[in-house]
Each structure stands twice: as C-alpha cells, then as structure tokens.
Amino acid sequence: MLTAAFPKLENLKCTRFLRAFFRSAYYPFLVAALMAVSELFALELPVYYIYLFFGVLCILFCEDTLGVLPIACCGYMTFSPQNNPGRFPDTTAFADPKVLLSLVIVLIIAGIVLLGRLVQCILLGRRGTPRLTTGFLALGVAYILAGAFSGYYALNTVFYGFVQILALAFFYFYFFFTVDWEKADKRYIFFIMTAVAAGLFAEIVGMYFQSGILTAEYPDRTMLYTGWGIYNNVGGMMAMCMPAPFYFSLKVRKNGWLFSLLACVYMLGVILTQSRSAIVCGGVIFCVAAAIVLFKTRGKERIINAALFGVFIAALTVAVILLRNNVSSLFTSLFSIDMNDNGRFGIYKNCLKIFREYPIFGKGFYRTPGAVMTNDGEMHFVFPDTASDLGFIPARAHNTIMQLLASGGIFALAAYLFHRVQTVILLFRNPTAEKTVISLCIAALLLASLLDCHFFNLGPGLLYGCLLVSAEGSDKAQMP
C-alpha cells in the first residue's frame, strides 16, 4: 500500500525482510502460537494488538495481503474460558469498559486498513469474477429469506442470516481480490492449517487442566471447553485441520513420513476432545488421507508410512484393550452415553414436520428445533415455542440438511446444493495434491456437520472461506 505511493520503499532491506517473513513457514506458526497463548492465559488484548501490528505492517509494505491469512484463520480461536462473557459475565475482562473500548479500537483500525487495501487492489485492476460467486450469492439470499412468509420472519432472522453468509464468504472474496495468487506459495495454506492444528492441540491439552476437571470422579466432557466453544466445536475444528500435514507427506520426498506422524498426533488430539462426531468423521478422513499417502508414495517412504499407520492403529487398539480401566476412566462421560443420540432424532423429526408446514422458505432460524449448551454445561433441546428467547445464536438442528429444510425450506436446500456443486467442480476439476488435501479438510467439516452444527457456527465458516480461496488460487500459485 505504502510502496505504491512511495516506490523507493521497495528497495529497502527492511521491506524485503518483512515480505519474506510474512511469506515464510515460520510466520503462521507464530500466529498460531499467539492464538494458543491468548486462549490458555487470557491474554486476548495483547495478542490482538500484536495481530493488528502484523496486519498493518503486511498491508502497508507487502505486495498483497497473504500475511493476513493466518490471522484470519486463527483469530476466532483466541478467546479464553475465563473471559467468555456467556459463562462468566461478571468476571470477564470484556466487562471492563476500558478493555472493551480497546477491542473496539483494534477492530476499527483493522477494518479501515483492510478496506483501504481492498479498494486499492480493485482500483489497480485486480479484478475478475471468483468462481463461487453465484453459489455464495444464492446461499446468502436463501439465508436472509429464511422464514419469509411464515409469520415469524423478523429483523433478527435477516441479521443472523447475513452474519452466517458473511462468515462463510467474506474471506473467500477478500483474499481473492487482495492476494496476488500468481506469486503465492501453494504450500502456504498448509503451513497455516498445520500451525492452527498445533495451536488447537495445545488448547485441547489445556482443557484437561481447567478447574474442576482433575478433582471430579472422572473428566466430565461437558467440562471440556474453551472460550470460543465446547468440546464438539473444538473437535470439529481439529478434525478440519488434521489432514493438513498429509500434504507434506505427499510432497516431501525425504522423510515425508514425519508429517504422517504429525497427522497421527493431530488425530489423537481429535480423540481427546471426546466429540463423537469429530472422532468418527475425523477418523474416516484420516483413513482416506492415509490411503492416498500410501498410494502416492514410493519405496522407503511408502514402507515407513505403512508401518507408521499400522503402529498408530495398533497402539490405539492395544491401549483400549490393555489399559481399558484407565481409558474408560478418562472417557467415562463419552462411553456412558453409548449410542444415545442426545435427542437428535427427535430434532430431525420436528425439522421435517416444520418443513412440511413451511416448505418454500422454512420457519426461520429462531423458530426451528435445536439444541443449546447452557452455562451449567448441560445440553438442552429447544423446540419452536421457546427458540426465539435464546439470544443472538439460536438453537441449531445438528444436521446441515435438516437445518436448511426447517429454517430455509426447499429454497435454502437448493441454494446450498448449487453452492456445493460449484465447490465440487472447483476442487475436483484438474485435481492436484493441493486441492485433494483441501477437499479432505472441507470434507471433515461437512461430514461432522451431518451430526453437529459446525457449518452454522462462525469459526468453521471463516476457515471454510480461506480454504476455498486457497484452492482456487492454487491454480495460479507457484511451487518454490
């Protein structure tokens, strides 16, 4: 941004250093480490100042906004449990007007520089039409019209639908126009996702050291939470990031198996969240990714990878058999629910009932059945008569298709399917290793969303948009 106005800055050593730093593999890990520090030690505001500093430097001195991408992926997961206003409204730091004002200032400055760079990029001619434009537009219209003509259509439904599509699509469009993908490193998104998974793993371990966990008879999984989500949310995000190291298993010719080992560690992190949907769906994606690695690698690398995956699966099996008492103690709250659907089938039945009553545009987000996690750590299932009293985040159906049918009717489902067809074409036409692994990350989100509400949470949506724009940009990006 500044270099366009002052060309002499291009030749300064500090400018070249900043550009190399923001495009390096180390920078995403630094951003992810700050994410974990913020969540674990309640240092949100200092971390936000550092993020703002990085972002401003990147936007002012770099060729594009690629260095903002790691912050976009990590920012949502910086909130600590003790500063969660929902759980601790009286003690959260954000209840302090000074802290809240500082946060607002950070957001305003960030918004100004981000918007300024976007305008500059468009004015300088970085145009074109993103491939997923019509699909996102259709989905956005469907979200905003959810519940239309049902008698329950209101401003809160319109606003919630707008926020939903903004979470899914904002970064996709922003980075399409502000990143020069022809100069980008194809590996960059995998550096980011691998780093995010490392930060998430630290947060997962931190969940087991929260107050009440070690003094309980067994670790109750309802006590496993962060400042930005409960165990299900963390498990879904971890499953979404877990495939990233497999990209390096495919691409690194010497000792690529080390990244397969890292993927095994990340899969263990998914298991430690005790989220059934994340474990099942993440496990499926892990097996598919491992099979792809075994098929694509050759010689010594294939042998080591095969041995590694075999040992990992065997170790999990032996641990369950030989250490079943310790394992069952650790996962008592998970095993005790057995095959209990936690009320999901009842929710799905009610969603279909609502769809039959309001087939075109549904009944809206705030009048469809779903489940909420309250401050006492218990899951409460909520149905249409009371669903409008839950605040901004409504109860969700814990299944993408059922949510779409009940909330937005056939119009929302058709828009979603159209968007999904566009993403499939983007990801599977002219397949590459980059698109394959990105597809696995997105598949983890979509599969887990058939049992949970991840696709209608804000955090996964932000990662979703970043993954899609990286997949589209990978057709132009370079491999150093």
Side-chain angles (χ1 to χ4, degrees), residues 121-138:
C121 289
I122 293 175
L123 291 177
L124 289 177
R126 192 171 294 169
R127 294 185 177 91
T129 303
R131 298 180 201 173
L132 304 181
T133 298
T134 53
F136 270 128
L137 180 61

Side-chain angles (χ1 to χ4, degrees), residues 142 145-153 157 361-365 407-408:
L145 289 178
F149 309 109
S150 67
Y152 300 102
Y153 194 58
T157 294
F361 294 107
K363 202 174 181 180
F365 289 106
S407 298

Side-chain angles (χ1 to χ4, degrees), residues 310-366:
V311 168
F312 178 66
I313 294 172
L316 289 178
T317 304
V318 170
V320 171
I321 295 174
L322 297 183
L323 303 175
R324 57 185 177 274
N325 291 332
N326 293 330
V327 171
S328 63
S329 175
L330 181 62
F331 293 94
T332 296
S333 59
L334 175 62
F335 294 151
S336 64
I337 59 177
D338 197 26
M339 296 301 292
N340 181 4
D341 71 319
N342 264 0
R344 281 173 172 78
F345 291 142
I347 293 175
Y348 302 161
K349 182 179 178 180
N350 278 274
C351 283
L352 292 175
K353 179 181 178 182
I354 290 174
F355 172 63
R356 288 192 294 269
E357 295 174 355
Y358 304 93
I360 306 302
F361 294 107
K363 202 174 181 180
F365 289 106
Y366 292 91

Side-chain angles (χ1 to χ4, degrees), residues 167-199:
L168 290 170
F170 176 77
F171 285 133
Y172 169 77
F173 287 102
Y174 185 82
F175 290 118
F176 177 87
F177 288 109
T178 62
V179 171
D180 186 352
W181 290 102
E182 292 182 358
K183 297 180 180 179
D185 185 341
K186 288 186 177 184
R187 304 171 300 174
Y188 199 72
I189 187 62
F190 304 107
F191 292 146
I192 295 173
M193 295 297 284
T194 302
V196 172

Side-chain angles (χ1 to χ4, degrees), residues 113-320:
V113 294
L114 288 171
L115 180 60
R117 189 56 187 261
L118 176 62
V119 171
Q120 183 200 37
C121 289
I122 293 175
L123 291 177
L124 289 177
R126 192 171 294 169
R127 294 185 177 91
T129 303
R131 298 180 201 173
L132 304 181
T133 298
T134 53
F136 270 128
L137 180 61
L139 193 61
V141 171
Y143 279 3
I144 291 172
L145 289 178
F149 309 109
S150 67
Y152 300 102
Y153 194 58
L155 185 60
N156 60 349
T157 294
V158 174
F159 183 63
Y160 181 75
F162 175 75
V163 171
Q164 280 290 310
I165 194 61
L166 195 66
L168 290 170
F170 176 77
F171 285 133
Y172 169 77
F173 287 102
Y174 185 82
F175 290 118
F176 177 87
F177 288 109
T178 62
V179 171
D180 186 352
W181 290 102
E182 292 182 358
K183 297 180 180 179
D185 185 341
K186 288 186 177 184
R187 304 171 300 174
Y188 199 72
I189 187 62
F190 304 107
F191 292 146
I192 295 173
M193 295 297 284
T194 302
V196 172
L200 282 174
F201 192 90
E203 293 187 8
I204 291 167
V205 172
M207 291 194 303
Y208 281 87
F209 289 90
Q210 289 176 158
S211 176
I213 289 289
L214 298 180
T215 57
E217 182 180 352
Y218 55 83
D220 184 352
R221 70 177 188 153
T222 62
M223 294 296 293
L224 297 174
Y225 59 86
T226 64
W228 53 270
I230 61 171
Y231 58 92
N232 272 340
N233 306 123
V234 182
M237 292 291 262
M238 191 68 188
M240 195 175 176
C241 297
M242 178 268 299
F246 283 114
Y247 173 78
F248 300 103
S249 302
L250 293 169
K251 285 294 186 177
V252 177
R253 295 182 178 180
K254 187 176 181 180
N255 297 327
W257 61 269
L258 289 171
F259 296 98
S260 298
L261 176 61
L262 183 59
C264 292
V265 173
Y266 288 169
M267 185 61 218
L268 180 61
V270 175
I271 296 171
L272 287 174
T273 65
Q274 301 195 37
S275 169
R276 288 183 299 174
S277 61
I279 293 171
V280 172
C281 298
V284 170
I285 297 301
F286 177 87
C287 292
V288 171
I292 292 173
V293 168
L294 292 177
F295 178 75
K296 290 292 186 179
T297 53
R298 295 288 184 269
K300 183 180 177 181
E301 283 293 318
R302 175 183 285 179
I303 295 173
I304 296 177
N305 276 311
L308 178 63
F309 297 140
V311 168
F312 178 66
I313 294 172
L316 289 178
T317 304
V318 170
V320 171

Side-chain angles (χ1 to χ4, degrees), residues 69-89:
L69 191 57
I71 300 174
C73 291
C74 292
Y76 183 82
M77 294 167 284
T78 54
F79 294 99
S80 61
Q82 51 268 54
N83 283 332
N84 184 329
R87 287 184 178 269
F88 306 106

Side-chain angles (χ1 to χ4, degrees), residues 26-36 47 51 54 67 70-72 74-75 78:
Y26 305 107
Y27 170 65
F29 281 89
L30 174 59
V31 173
L34 289 168
M35 173 193 82
V47 168
Y51 279 180
F54 285 159
I71 300 174
C74 292
T78 54

